[in-house]
Amino acid sequence: MRVRTALSTAALAALVLIAPALATVPATAAPTASPATAPAADTATPDVTAPAGYVGMSPIRVLDTRDDSKVPETRTARPLRAGEYFSTPIATGCLAPPRQECFGVVPTDATAVVVNVTVTDPTADGFVTLGPPGAPGTKPATSSINFKPGQTVSNLVTVATGPVSHGVPWLTLYNNAGTTDVVLDVVGYFRTAATDKYRPLYPSRIADSRRDTTGRIDTDSVRSYQVARTELGTADATAVVLNVTAVDGYRDGFLTAYPAGEPRPDVGSNVNFPAGSTVANRVVVPVGQDGRINLYNHVGPVHVVIDIVGYYGPSGKGRYSALRTPVRSFDSRLGGGPVPGSGTRMIQAVPTDGSVPNAFGVEANITATNVLADGYLAVTREPDLQTGTSTVNVVRGQTTSNSATAEVLESTGTYAVYNHGADLDLIADVNGYYVTD
């Protein structure tokens, strides 16, 4: 069931995000100079928000730097500049000075938001990071999304909200290099008063149009999927956490996920893909009518693969504490060497000093760079746990990121990343922790 908010929203105009064909020039991964060689999870007591429950929604656009009407505070469209920290209200619009009140889409006590970040028309290899404001001339130690010139790419990011101003919480973005346009679609938020908790699942594939009789989703078409299922343990799920992969589309296009039984959002994309490519993105979507979700394909028939990794609901295991400043937990470029093909690397994601007690999972961002061949990464709770699912689809010579809602071994605070392909460098950031009450 979709949770509705009484907060005002402006009319949403459809804006298509289309990606050009992929090049082979590698994008720039997040900085190597800032983090220490030891895992960031062990360096200090984390500054986290209070544990909070989840509230889901259909996508609501709160920023599009290409459109004056979708830049809430200034109403002036322009790309983000190189090295710029750009702060924006989580709102669909703001009144002109002197009042400046904004039309928020999450409550002021929201501790974190789940937002789909889309970068389009970048002019240089680089990355964008969502996090706290920073001083001019500095750069964050983590990245949220990586890209190369001319690319359109999306990633789901769960990030702590910034200070409340003009009656709404804010977010801050940092652009590393060149100029780039950025689109933000909010798909949910956390607050301490919310009751839905997260529960990880054994990752499983629930749909693969390459293997079943359904075939590609056609242009301007919707396909419905049953996600509330007793055999999956999701019978009372109010929202599901999925990895959605677009495979071998006929044209550049995008996919949008939303609850069954509700109107398709006027704007909002979850997976942006170039023709002929394989592109994955993490998707959190409310469960709709009859326990189903819908997936809309904008243009060009495309195969779709869906893996389920967890859900939110009253029978969930625990709540989410967001790091106010995300941390880097692993970077193979700083030690340990590349992850070999058919190899597994254990990631220390939870501090070992007991500063985050009862943690059973993390919100992570996984980046593959210096990739020698096409392949994929799979995130699992423990090594040698082959689930037949994937988390990040990697391409030779390209830097690729995807978020991972990773269950950890509670005895060690670690999770496993399996590399199905050739040698590559692996980077892992932590945005927050799931903890039992």
PDB file of all heavy atoms in Angstrom, residues 1 3 52-56 190 194-201 233-241 284-287 310-319 360 434 437:
ATOM      1  N   MET A   1       0.841  -1.193   0.000  1.00  0.00           N
ATOM      2  CA  MET A   1       0.000   0.000   0.000  1.00  0.00           C
ATOM      3  C   MET A   1       0.871   1.236   0.000  1.00  0.00           C
ATOM      4  O   MET A   1       1.815   1.343   0.768  1.00  0.00           O
ATOM      5  CB  MET A   1      -0.892   0.003   1.238  1.00  0.00           C
ATOM      6  CG  MET A   1      -1.817   1.203   1.310  1.00  0.00           C
ATOM      7  SD  MET A   1      -2.853   1.157   2.786  1.00  0.00           S
ATOM      8  CE  MET A   1      -1.661   1.470   4.045  1.00  0.00           C
ATOM      9  N   VAL A   3       1.982   4.845   0.935  1.00  0.00           N
ATOM     10  CA  VAL A   3       1.761   5.805   2.017  1.00  0.00           C
ATOM     11  C   VAL A   3       1.699   7.191   1.408  1.00  0.00           C
ATOM     12  O   VAL A   3       2.610   7.623   0.719  1.00  0.00           O
ATOM     13  CB  VAL A   3       2.895   5.723   3.044  1.00  0.00           C
ATOM     14  CG1 VAL A   3       2.648   6.719   4.154  1.00  0.00           C
ATOM     15  CG2 VAL A   3       2.980   4.307   3.614  1.00  0.00           C
ATOM     16  N   ALA A  52      15.281   4.360  12.498  1.00  0.00           N
ATOM     17  CA  ALA A  52      14.009   4.854  11.969  1.00  0.00           C
ATOM     18  C   ALA A  52      13.369   3.814  11.056  1.00  0.00           C
ATOM     19  O   ALA A  52      14.053   3.004  10.423  1.00  0.00           O
ATOM     20  CB  ALA A  52      14.239   6.159  11.192  1.00  0.00           C
ATOM     21  N   GLY A  53      12.032   3.853  10.993  1.00  0.00           N
ATOM     22  CA  GLY A  53      11.278   3.008  10.091  1.00  0.00           C
ATOM     23  C   GLY A  53      11.110   3.654   8.733  1.00  0.00           C
ATOM     24  O   GLY A  53      11.410   4.834   8.539  1.00  0.00           O
ATOM     25  N   TYR A  54      10.578   2.879   7.789  1.00  0.00           N
ATOM     26  CA  TYR A  54      10.535   3.296   6.384  1.00  0.00           C
ATOM     27  C   TYR A  54       9.121   3.676   5.951  1.00  0.00           C
ATOM     28  O   TYR A  54       8.139   3.054   6.357  1.00  0.00           O
ATOM     29  CB  TYR A  54      11.045   2.173   5.485  1.00  0.00           C
ATOM     30  CG  TYR A  54      11.091   2.550   4.022  1.00  0.00           C
ATOM     31  CD1 TYR A  54      12.012   3.482   3.560  1.00  0.00           C
ATOM     32  CD2 TYR A  54      10.212   1.969   3.114  1.00  0.00           C
ATOM     33  CE1 TYR A  54      12.062   3.841   2.227  1.00  0.00           C
ATOM     34  CE2 TYR A  54      10.261   2.314   1.769  1.00  0.00           C
ATOM     35  CZ  TYR A  54      11.188   3.243   1.328  1.00  0.00           C
ATOM     36  OH  TYR A  54      11.223   3.594   0.001  1.00  0.00           O
ATOM     37  N   VAL A  55       9.044   4.689   5.092  1.00  0.00           N
ATOM     38  CA  VAL A  55       7.800   5.095   4.431  1.00  0.00           C
ATOM     39  C   VAL A  55       8.081   5.180   2.930  1.00  0.00           C
ATOM     40  O   VAL A  55       8.979   5.923   2.513  1.00  0.00           O
ATOM     41  CB  VAL A  55       7.295   6.457   4.945  1.00  0.00           C
ATOM     42  CG1 VAL A  55       5.997   6.847   4.221  1.00  0.00           C
ATOM     43  CG2 VAL A  55       7.080   6.425   6.452  1.00  0.00           C
ATOM     44  N   GLY A  56       7.355   4.418   2.132  1.00  0.00           N
ATOM     45  CA  GLY A  56       7.577   4.405   0.690  1.00  0.00           C
ATOM     46  C   GLY A  56       6.600   5.293  -0.052  1.00  0.00           C
ATOM     47  O   GLY A  56       5.550   5.672   0.466  1.00  0.00           O
ATOM     48  N   PHE A 190      12.918   7.758   5.739  1.00  0.00           N
ATOM     49  CA  PHE A 190      12.919   7.137   7.065  1.00  0.00           C
ATOM     50  C   PHE A 190      12.574   8.188   8.118  1.00  0.00           C
ATOM     51  O   PHE A 190      13.012   9.339   8.029  1.00  0.00           O
ATOM     52  CB  PHE A 190      14.287   6.537   7.385  1.00  0.00           C
ATOM     53  CG  PHE A 190      14.665   5.375   6.517  1.00  0.00           C
ATOM     54  CD1 PHE A 190      15.304   5.581   5.302  1.00  0.00           C
ATOM     55  CD2 PHE A 190      14.382   4.078   6.911  1.00  0.00           C
ATOM     56  CE1 PHE A 190      15.664   4.503   4.497  1.00  0.00           C
ATOM     57  CE2 PHE A 190      14.731   3.001   6.115  1.00  0.00           C
ATOM     58  CZ  PHE A 190      15.373   3.217   4.900  1.00  0.00           C
ATOM     59  N   ALA A 194       7.901   6.015  12.078  1.00  0.00           N
ATOM     60  CA  ALA A 194       7.414   5.018  11.123  1.00  0.00           C
ATOM     61  C   ALA A 194       7.630   3.614  11.679  1.00  0.00           C
ATOM     62  O   ALA A 194       8.609   3.343  12.385  1.00  0.00           O
ATOM     63  CB  ALA A 194       8.111   5.185   9.784  1.00  0.00           C
ATOM     64  N   THR A 195       6.732   2.703  11.337  1.00  0.00           N
ATOM     65  CA  THR A 195       6.757   1.375  11.951  1.00  0.00           C
ATOM     66  C   THR A 195       7.274   0.270  11.037  1.00  0.00           C
ATOM     67  O   THR A 195       7.586  -0.817  11.521  1.00  0.00           O
ATOM     68  CB  THR A 195       5.349   0.993  12.430  1.00  0.00           C
ATOM     69  OG1 THR A 195       4.447   1.042  11.313  1.00  0.00           O
ATOM     70  CG2 THR A 195       4.869   1.956  13.508  1.00  0.00           C
ATOM     71  N   ASP A 196       7.347   0.496   9.737  1.00  0.00           N
ATOM     72  CA  ASP A 196       7.807  -0.556   8.837  1.00  0.00           C
ATOM     73  C   ASP A 196       9.318  -0.747   8.966  1.00  0.00           C
ATOM     74  O   ASP A 196      10.095   0.215   8.870  1.00  0.00           O
ATOM     75  CB  ASP A 196       7.449  -0.229   7.386  1.00  0.00           C
ATOM     76  CG  ASP A 196       5.984  -0.470   7.083  1.00  0.00           C
ATOM     77  OD1 ASP A 196       5.311  -1.098   7.929  1.00  0.00           O
ATOM     78  OD2 ASP A 196       5.520  -0.034   6.024  1.00  0.00           O
ATOM     79  N   LYS A 197       9.730  -1.988   9.155  1.00  0.00           N
ATOM     80  CA  LYS A 197      11.132  -2.338   9.344  1.00  0.00           C
ATOM     81  C   LYS A 197      11.659  -3.102   8.132  1.00  0.00           C
ATOM     82  O   LYS A 197      10.888  -3.636   7.330  1.00  0.00           O
ATOM     83  CB  LYS A 197      11.296  -3.183  10.610  1.00  0.00           C
ATOM     84  CG  LYS A 197      10.806  -2.521  11.884  1.00  0.00           C
ATOM     85  CD  LYS A 197      10.939  -3.466  13.071  1.00  0.00           C
ATOM     86  CE  LYS A 197      10.386  -2.841  14.349  1.00  0.00           C
ATOM     87  NZ  LYS A 197      10.536  -3.776  15.499  1.00  0.00           N
ATOM     88  N   TYR A 198      12.983  -3.178   8.056  1.00  0.00           N
ATOM     89  CA  TYR A 198      13.611  -3.893   6.940  1.00  0.00           C
ATOM     90  C   TYR A 198      13.955  -5.318   7.339  1.00  0.00           C
ATOM     91  O   TYR A 198      14.384  -5.580   8.460  1.00  0.00           O
ATOM     92  CB  TYR A 198      14.892  -3.185   6.505  1.00  0.00           C
ATOM     93  CG  TYR A 198      15.610  -3.923   5.390  1.00  0.00           C
ATOM     94  CD1 TYR A 198      15.067  -3.970   4.111  1.00  0.00           C
ATOM     95  CD2 TYR A 198      16.806  -4.590   5.635  1.00  0.00           C
ATOM     96  CE1 TYR A 198      15.705  -4.661   3.099  1.00  0.00           C
ATOM     97  CE2 TYR A 198      17.460  -5.281   4.614  1.00  0.00           C
ATOM     98  CZ  TYR A 198      16.897  -5.314   3.353  1.00  0.00           C
ATOM     99  OH  TYR A 198      17.521  -6.006   2.333  1.00  0.00           O
ATOM    100  N   ARG A 199      13.771  -6.240   6.394  1.00  0.00           N
ATOM    101  CA  ARG A 199      14.208  -7.620   6.578  1.00  0.00           C
ATOM    102  C   ARG A 199      14.929  -8.082   5.316  1.00  0.00           C
ATOM    103  O   ARG A 199      14.363  -8.029   4.222  1.00  0.00           O
ATOM    104  CB  ARG A 199      13.045  -8.562   6.880  1.00  0.00           C
ATOM    105  CG  ARG A 199      13.490 -10.025   7.077  1.00  0.00           C
ATOM    106  CD  ARG A 199      12.338 -10.913   7.511  1.00  0.00           C
ATOM    107  NE  ARG A 199      11.857 -10.569   8.840  1.00  0.00           N
ATOM    108  CZ  ARG A 199      12.388 -11.007   9.979  1.00  0.00           C
ATOM    109  NH1 ARG A 199      13.439 -11.817   9.954  1.00  0.00           N
ATOM    110  NH2 ARG A 199      11.877 -10.663  11.136  1.00  0.00           N
ATOM    111  N   PRO A 200      16.175  -8.518   5.453  1.00  0.00           N
ATOM    112  CA  PRO A 200      16.876  -9.056   4.281  1.00  0.00           C
ATOM    113  C   PRO A 200      16.337 -10.429   3.914  1.00  0.00           C
ATOM    114  O   PRO A 200      15.837 -11.173   4.767  1.00  0.00           O
ATOM    115  CB  PRO A 200      18.330  -9.130   4.749  1.00  0.00           C
ATOM    116  CG  PRO A 200      18.242  -9.277   6.237  1.00  0.00           C
ATOM    117  CD  PRO A 200      17.006  -8.509   6.657  1.00  0.00           C
ATOM    118  N   LEU A 201      16.451 -10.773   2.642  1.00  0.00           N
ATOM    119  CA  LEU A 201      16.048 -12.074   2.146  1.00  0.00           C
ATOM    120  C   LEU A 201      17.235 -12.766   1.491  1.00  0.00           C
ATOM    121  O   LEU A 201      18.203 -12.107   1.089  1.00  0.00           O
ATOM    122  CB  LEU A 201      14.928 -11.924   1.099  1.00  0.00           C
ATOM    123  CG  LEU A 201      13.621 -11.291   1.555  1.00  0.00           C
ATOM    124  CD1 LEU A 201      12.724 -11.032   0.348  1.00  0.00           C
ATOM    125  CD2 LEU A 201      12.907 -12.193   2.568  1.00  0.00           C
ATOM    126  N   GLY A 233       8.506 -15.084   1.775  1.00  0.00           N
ATOM    127  CA  GLY A 233       8.482 -14.466   3.090  1.00  0.00           C
ATOM    128  C   GLY A 233       8.056 -13.020   3.064  1.00  0.00           C
ATOM    129  O   GLY A 233       8.287 -12.275   4.027  1.00  0.00           O
ATOM    130  N   THR A 234       7.419 -12.595   1.961  1.00  0.00           N
ATOM    131  CA  THR A 234       7.073 -11.183   1.778  1.00  0.00           C
ATOM    132  C   THR A 234       5.565 -10.938   1.821  1.00  0.00           C
ATOM    133  O   THR A 234       5.081  -9.939   1.288  1.00  0.00           O
ATOM    134  CB  THR A 234       7.614 -10.679   0.424  1.00  0.00           C
ATOM    135  OG1 THR A 234       7.091 -11.506  -0.637  1.00  0.00           O
ATOM    136  CG2 THR A 234       9.125 -10.735   0.392  1.00  0.00           C
ATOM    137  N   ALA A 235       4.815 -11.830   2.450  1.00  0.00           N
ATOM    138  CA  ALA A 235       3.355 -11.737   2.398  1.00  0.00           C
ATOM    139  C   ALA A 235       2.838 -10.409   2.932  1.00  0.00           C
ATOM    140  O   ALA A 235       1.828  -9.890   2.444  1.00  0.00           O
ATOM    141  CB  ALA A 235       2.735 -12.899   3.175  1.00  0.00           C
ATOM    142  N   ASP A 236       3.514  -9.821   3.947  1.00  0.00           N
ATOM    143  CA  ASP A 236       3.025  -8.565   4.520  1.00  0.00           C
ATOM    144  C   ASP A 236       3.904  -7.378   4.121  1.00  0.00           C
ATOM    145  O   ASP A 236       3.881  -6.329   4.773  1.00  0.00           O
ATOM    146  CB  ASP A 236       2.922  -8.661   6.036  1.00  0.00           C
ATOM    147  CG  ASP A 236       4.285  -8.784   6.714  1.00  0.00           C
ATOM    148  OD1 ASP A 236       5.260  -9.126   6.024  1.00  0.00           O
ATOM    149  OD2 ASP A 236       4.369  -8.544   7.940  1.00  0.00           O
ATOM    150  N   ALA A 237       4.676  -7.519   3.063  1.00  0.00           N
ATOM    151  CA  ALA A 237       5.572  -6.442   2.637  1.00  0.00           C
ATOM    152  C   ALA A 237       4.790  -5.215   2.188  1.00  0.00           C
ATOM    153  O   ALA A 237       3.805  -5.320   1.454  1.00  0.00           O
ATOM    154  CB  ALA A 237       6.464  -6.919   1.496  1.00  0.00           C
ATOM    155  N   THR A 238       5.230  -4.047   2.638  1.00  0.00           N
ATOM    156  CA  THR A 238       4.666  -2.786   2.148  1.00  0.00           C
ATOM    157  C   THR A 238       5.536  -2.170   1.060  1.00  0.00           C
ATOM    158  O   THR A 238       5.077  -1.332   0.291  1.00  0.00           O
ATOM    159  CB  THR A 238       4.520  -1.775   3.293  1.00  0.00           C
ATOM    160  OG1 THR A 238       5.801  -1.563   3.902  1.00  0.00           O
ATOM    161  CG2 THR A 238       3.534  -2.291   4.343  1.00  0.00           C
ATOM    162  N   ALA A 239       6.810  -2.575   1.002  1.00  0.00           N
ATOM    163  CA  ALA A 239       7.726  -2.155  -0.059  1.00  0.00           C
ATOM    164  C   ALA A 239       8.773  -3.240  -0.233  1.00  0.00           C
ATOM    165  O   ALA A 239       9.109  -3.939   0.734  1.00  0.00           O
ATOM    166  CB  ALA A 239       8.393  -0.815   0.259  1.00  0.00           C
ATOM    167  N   VAL A 240       9.293  -3.391  -1.449  1.00  0.00           N
ATOM    168  CA  VAL A 240      10.297  -4.411  -1.715  1.00  0.00           C
ATOM    169  C   VAL A 240      11.571  -3.759  -2.236  1.00  0.00           C
ATOM    170  O   VAL A 240      11.538  -2.694  -2.856  1.00  0.00           O
ATOM    171  CB  VAL A 240       9.788  -5.459  -2.720  1.00  0.00           C
ATOM    172  CG1 VAL A 240       8.751  -6.362  -2.075  1.00  0.00           C
ATOM    173  CG2 VAL A 240       9.234  -4.812  -3.983  1.00  0.00           C
ATOM    174  N   VAL A 241      12.708  -4.408  -1.934  1.00  0.00           N
ATOM    175  CA  VAL A 241      14.011  -3.948  -2.404  1.00  0.00           C
ATOM    176  C   VAL A 241      14.467  -4.910  -3.501  1.00  0.00           C
ATOM    177  O   VAL A 241      14.633  -6.110  -3.255  1.00  0.00           O
ATOM    178  CB  VAL A 241      15.036  -3.907  -1.261  1.00  0.00           C
ATOM    179  CG1 VAL A 241      16.368  -3.367  -1.759  1.00  0.00           C
ATOM    180  CG2 VAL A 241      14.506  -3.057  -0.110  1.00  0.00           C
ATOM    181  N   VAL A 284      13.667   0.483  -4.867  1.00  0.00           N
ATOM    182  CA  VAL A 284      12.777   0.282  -3.722  1.00  0.00           C
ATOM    183  C   VAL A 284      11.416   0.812  -4.133  1.00  0.00           C
ATOM    184  O   VAL A 284      11.279   1.990  -4.479  1.00  0.00           O
ATOM    185  CB  VAL A 284      13.286   1.008  -2.464  1.00  0.00           C
ATOM    186  CG1 VAL A 284      12.341   0.744  -1.289  1.00  0.00           C
ATOM    187  CG2 VAL A 284      14.698   0.570  -2.116  1.00  0.00           C
ATOM    188  N   VAL A 285      10.412  -0.056  -4.118  1.00  0.00           N
ATOM    189  CA  VAL A 285       9.095   0.337  -4.639  1.00  0.00           C
ATOM    190  C   VAL A 285       7.998  -0.170  -3.703  1.00  0.00           C
ATOM    191  O   VAL A 285       8.056  -1.302  -3.220  1.00  0.00           O
ATOM    192  CB  VAL A 285       8.902  -0.209  -6.075  1.00  0.00           C
ATOM    193  CG1 VAL A 285       9.044  -1.721  -6.121  1.00  0.00           C
ATOM    194  CG2 VAL A 285       7.564   0.227  -6.660  1.00  0.00           C
ATOM    195  N   PRO A 286       6.994   0.663  -3.397  1.00  0.00           N
ATOM    196  CA  PRO A 286       5.880   0.197  -2.571  1.00  0.00           C
ATOM    197  C   PRO A 286       5.107  -0.927  -3.259  1.00  0.00           C
ATOM    198  O   PRO A 286       4.991  -0.961  -4.488  1.00  0.00           O
ATOM    199  CB  PRO A 286       5.005   1.452  -2.425  1.00  0.00           C
ATOM    200  CG  PRO A 286       5.919   2.597  -2.684  1.00  0.00           C
ATOM    201  CD  PRO A 286       6.886   2.102  -3.708  1.00  0.00           C
ATOM    202  N   VAL A 287       4.589  -1.834  -2.450  1.00  0.00           N
ATOM    203  CA  VAL A 287       3.760  -2.921  -2.956  1.00  0.00           C
ATOM    204  C   VAL A 287       2.348  -2.400  -3.152  1.00  0.00           C
ATOM    205  O   VAL A 287       1.775  -1.760  -2.268  1.00  0.00           O
ATOM    206  CB  VAL A 287       3.782  -4.110  -1.992  1.00  0.00           C
ATOM    207  CG1 VAL A 287       2.853  -5.216  -2.478  1.00  0.00           C
ATOM    208  CG2 VAL A 287       5.206  -4.631  -1.826  1.00  0.00           C
ATOM    209  N   GLY A 310      15.230  -7.990  -0.344  1.00  0.00           N
ATOM    210  CA  GLY A 310      14.690  -7.665   0.962  1.00  0.00           C
ATOM    211  C   GLY A 310      13.362  -6.959   0.858  1.00  0.00           C
ATOM    212  O   GLY A 310      12.847  -6.715  -0.246  1.00  0.00           O
ATOM    213  N   TYR A 311      12.796  -6.615   1.996  1.00  0.00           N
ATOM    214  CA  TYR A 311      11.510  -5.913   1.997  1.00  0.00           C
ATOM    215  C   TYR A 311      11.356  -5.112   3.281  1.00  0.00           C
ATOM    216  O   TYR A 311      12.069  -5.320   4.275  1.00  0.00           O
ATOM    217  CB  TYR A 311      10.339  -6.891   1.853  1.00  0.00           C
ATOM    218  CG  TYR A 311      10.050  -7.724   3.079  1.00  0.00           C
ATOM    219  CD1 TYR A 311       9.095  -7.326   4.016  1.00  0.00           C
ATOM    220  CD2 TYR A 311      10.720  -8.919   3.308  1.00  0.00           C
ATOM    221  CE1 TYR A 311       8.828  -8.079   5.141  1.00  0.00           C
ATOM    222  CE2 TYR A 311      10.464  -9.688   4.429  1.00  0.00           C
ATOM    223  CZ  TYR A 311       9.514  -9.270   5.338  1.00  0.00           C
ATOM    224  OH  TYR A 311       9.251 -10.010   6.461  1.00  0.00           O
ATOM    225  N   TYR A 312      10.403  -4.166   3.256  1.00  0.00           N
ATOM    226  CA  TYR A 312       9.970  -3.413   4.430  1.00  0.00           C
ATOM    227  C   TYR A 312       8.540  -3.815   4.774  1.00  0.00           C
ATOM    228  O   TYR A 312       7.707  -4.012   3.869  1.00  0.00           O
ATOM    229  CB  TYR A 312      10.016  -1.906   4.165  1.00  0.00           C
ATOM    230  CG  TYR A 312      11.401  -1.364   3.948  1.00  0.00           C
ATOM    231  CD1 TYR A 312      11.904  -1.181   2.664  1.00  0.00           C
ATOM    232  CD2 TYR A 312      12.213  -1.025   5.031  1.00  0.00           C
ATOM    233  CE1 TYR A 312      13.178  -0.674   2.455  1.00  0.00           C
ATOM    234  CE2 TYR A 312      13.486  -0.527   4.826  1.00  0.00           C
ATOM    235  CZ  TYR A 312      13.963  -0.352   3.538  1.00  0.00           C
ATOM    236  OH  TYR A 312      15.224   0.137   3.341  1.00  0.00           O
ATOM    237  N   GLY A 313       8.266  -3.923   6.078  1.00  0.00           N
ATOM    238  CA  GLY A 313       6.920  -4.264   6.504  1.00  0.00           C
ATOM    239  C   GLY A 313       6.865  -4.461   8.003  1.00  0.00           C
ATOM    240  O   GLY A 313       7.881  -4.385   8.713  1.00  0.00           O
ATOM    241  N   PRO A 314       5.678  -4.744   8.540  1.00  0.00           N
ATOM    242  CA  PRO A 314       5.531  -4.901   9.997  1.00  0.00           C
ATOM    243  C   PRO A 314       6.298  -6.091  10.557  1.00  0.00           C
ATOM    244  O   PRO A 314       6.615  -6.116  11.753  1.00  0.00           O
ATOM    245  CB  PRO A 314       4.016  -5.065  10.184  1.00  0.00           C
ATOM    246  CG  PRO A 314       3.489  -5.429   8.832  1.00  0.00           C
ATOM    247  CD  PRO A 314       4.386  -4.812   7.835  1.00  0.00           C
ATOM    248  N   SER A 315       6.615  -7.090   9.722  1.00  0.00           N
ATOM    249  CA  SER A 315       7.373  -8.243  10.218  1.00  0.00           C
ATOM    250  C   SER A 315       8.869  -8.100   9.966  1.00  0.00           C
ATOM    251  O   SER A 315       9.611  -9.074  10.101  1.00  0.00           O
ATOM    252  CB  SER A 315       6.862  -9.532   9.549  1.00  0.00           C
ATOM    253  OG  SER A 315       7.126  -9.509   8.152  1.00  0.00           O
ATOM    254  N   GLY A 316       9.314  -6.886   9.615  1.00  0.00           N
ATOM    255  CA  GLY A 316      10.730  -6.659   9.366  1.00  0.00           C
ATOM    256  C   GLY A 316      11.582  -6.889  10.601  1.00  0.00           C
ATOM    257  O   GLY A 316      11.089  -6.974  11.734  1.00  0.00           O
ATOM    258  N   LYS A 317      12.888  -6.937  10.388  1.00  0.00           N
ATOM    259  CA  LYS A 317      13.821  -7.280  11.456  1.00  0.00           C
ATOM    260  C   LYS A 317      14.324  -6.063  12.226  1.00  0.00           C
ATOM    261  O   LYS A 317      14.603  -6.154  13.424  1.00  0.00           O
ATOM    262  CB  LYS A 317      15.004  -8.041  10.855  1.00  0.00           C
ATOM    263  CG  LYS A 317      16.031  -8.518  11.866  1.00  0.00           C
ATOM    264  CD  LYS A 317      17.110  -9.354  11.187  1.00  0.00           C
ATOM    265  CE  LYS A 317      18.137  -9.842  12.197  1.00  0.00           C
ATOM    266  NZ  LYS A 317      19.182 -10.699  11.554  1.00  0.00           N
ATOM    267  N   GLY A 318      14.505  -4.918  11.539  1.00  0.00           N
ATOM    268  CA  GLY A 318      15.069  -3.775  12.235  1.00  0.00           C
ATOM    269  C   GLY A 318      14.939  -2.486  11.458  1.00  0.00           C
ATOM    270  O   GLY A 318      14.348  -2.429  10.379  1.00  0.00           O
ATOM    271  N   ARG A 319      15.515  -1.417  12.027  1.00  0.00           N
ATOM    272  CA  ARG A 319      15.350  -0.070  11.512  1.00  0.00           C
ATOM    273  C   ARG A 319      16.693   0.466  11.013  1.00  0.00           C
ATOM    274  O   ARG A 319      17.734  -0.142  11.219  1.00  0.00           O
ATOM    275  CB  ARG A 319      14.765   0.812  12.616  1.00  0.00           C
ATOM    276  CG  ARG A 319      13.350   0.387  13.010  1.00  0.00           C
ATOM    277  CD  ARG A 319      13.037   0.660  14.473  1.00  0.00           C
ATOM    278  NE  ARG A 319      12.870   2.069  14.767  1.00  0.00           N
ATOM    279  CZ  ARG A 319      11.744   2.757  14.611  1.00  0.00           C
ATOM    280  NH1 ARG A 319      10.669   2.164  14.121  1.00  0.00           N
ATOM    281  NH2 ARG A 319      11.683   4.026  14.936  1.00  0.00           N
ATOM    282  N   PHE A 360      22.769  -5.659  11.414  1.00  0.00           N
ATOM    283  CA  PHE A 360      22.633  -6.871  10.605  1.00  0.00           C
ATOM    284  C   PHE A 360      22.715  -6.570   9.110  1.00  0.00           C
ATOM    285  O   PHE A 360      22.621  -7.485   8.284  1.00  0.00           O
ATOM    286  CB  PHE A 360      21.319  -7.593  10.917  1.00  0.00           C
ATOM    287  CG  PHE A 360      20.081  -6.806  10.573  1.00  0.00           C
ATOM    288  CD1 PHE A 360      19.509  -6.878   9.307  1.00  0.00           C
ATOM    289  CD2 PHE A 360      19.477  -5.991  11.520  1.00  0.00           C
ATOM    290  CE1 PHE A 360      18.361  -6.166   8.998  1.00  0.00           C
ATOM    291  CE2 PHE A 360      18.327  -5.267  11.218  1.00  0.00           C
ATOM    292  CZ  PHE A 360      17.764  -5.353   9.947  1.00  0.00           C
ATOM    293  N   TYR A 434      21.559  -1.059   9.253  1.00  0.00           N
ATOM    294  CA  TYR A 434      20.291  -1.614   9.727  1.00  0.00           C
ATOM    295  C   TYR A 434      20.551  -2.310  11.049  1.00  0.00           C
ATOM    296  O   TYR A 434      21.458  -3.147  11.154  1.00  0.00           O
ATOM    297  CB  TYR A 434      19.722  -2.593   8.711  1.00  0.00           C
ATOM    298  CG  TYR A 434      19.221  -1.926   7.457  1.00  0.00           C
ATOM    299  CD1 TYR A 434      20.043  -1.803   6.330  1.00  0.00           C
ATOM    300  CD2 TYR A 434      17.942  -1.368   7.397  1.00  0.00           C
ATOM    301  CE1 TYR A 434      19.599  -1.163   5.189  1.00  0.00           C
ATOM    302  CE2 TYR A 434      17.499  -0.743   6.247  1.00  0.00           C
ATOM    303  CZ  TYR A 434      18.324  -0.648   5.153  1.00  0.00           C
ATOM    304  OH  TYR A 434      17.888   0.006   4.029  1.00  0.00           O
ATOM    305  N   ASP A 437      16.031  -3.681  16.978  1.00  0.00           N
ATOM    306  CA  ASP A 437      15.568  -2.857  18.096  1.00  0.00           C
ATOM    307  C   ASP A 437      16.050  -3.423  19.431  1.00  0.00           C
ATOM    308  O   ASP A 437      16.210  -4.626  19.592  1.00  0.00           O
ATOM    309  CB  ASP A 437      14.046  -2.771  18.091  1.00  0.00           C
ATOM    310  CG  ASP A 437      13.543  -1.982  16.893  1.00  0.00           C
ATOM    311  OD1 ASP A 437      14.302  -1.168  16.344  1.00  0.00           O
ATOM    312  OD2 ASP A 437      12.394  -2.212  16.509  1.00  0.00           O
TER     313      ASP A 437
END
